[in-house]
Amino acid sequence: QVQLVESGGGLVQPGGSLRLSCAASASIFGTSVMAWYRQAPGKERELVAAITSGGRPNYADSVKGRFTISRDNGKKIVFLQMDSLKPEDTAVYYCNLKPAYLRGDYWGQGTLVTVSS
């Protein structure tokens, strides 16, 4: 079984920073692609950032240069460092695990990030 537990969300002012964490209870973590998605009310879920098992990242254009995704395969944790936050970054952020050799994805419960004055 795979369990993903997220933390680090909250309220921050525009221009501020937050760091999200996702702790995985999964033996397949080290061979899986990890990603962060976000969804605002009334909008479709969108990919924010992803990172391969070897640590190669990619980002949505909207967050490139502001967000950094990283992972610790020993501790089975994936991070999302968010800097220079904007009001349009407000959303529920979800951690995602995609196994390398198994069909289907696994999701965390989501953590709310609110960027407002």
Side-chain angles (χ1 to χ4, degrees):
Q1 298 296 324
V2 175
Q3 294 184 4
L4 305 174
V5 180
E6 298 154 321
S7 62
L11 175 65
V12 65
Q13 294 183 346
S17 298
L18 283 175
R19 182 167 64 190
L20 306 182
S21 300
C22 174
S25 298
S27 61
I28 60 174
F29 178 90
T31 57
S32 301
V33 173
M34 300 298 300
W36 289 94
Y37 289 77
R38 68 185 182 187
Q39 186 170 24
K43 299 181 180 179
E44 292 188 358
R45 183 181 61 191
E46 63 175 347
L47 176 66
V48 177
I51 186 168
T52 68
S53 61
R56 180 176 296 180
N58 64 81
Y59 302 94
D61 288 340
S62 60
V63 306
K64 192 173 299 181
R66 300 188 297 119
F67 290 10
T68 303
I69 189 171
S70 61
R71 67 192 294 163
D72 186 328
N73 286 343
K75 297 180 179 179
K76 298 181 180 178
I77 301 175
V78 61
F79 303 95
L80 185 67
Q81 177 67 43
M82 304 183 294
D83 299 320
S84 301
L85 283 162
K86 305 175 180 179
E88 50 262 46
D89 295 318
T90 297
V92 177
Y93 285 71
Y94 297 93
C95 180
N96 171 266
L97 182 153
K98 185 175 183 63
Y101 305 109
L102 300 174
R103 191 181 305 275
D105 290 10
Y106 296 89
W107 297 89
Q109 80 286 354
T111 184
L112 177 62
V113 172
T114 303
V115 185
S116 176
S117 299

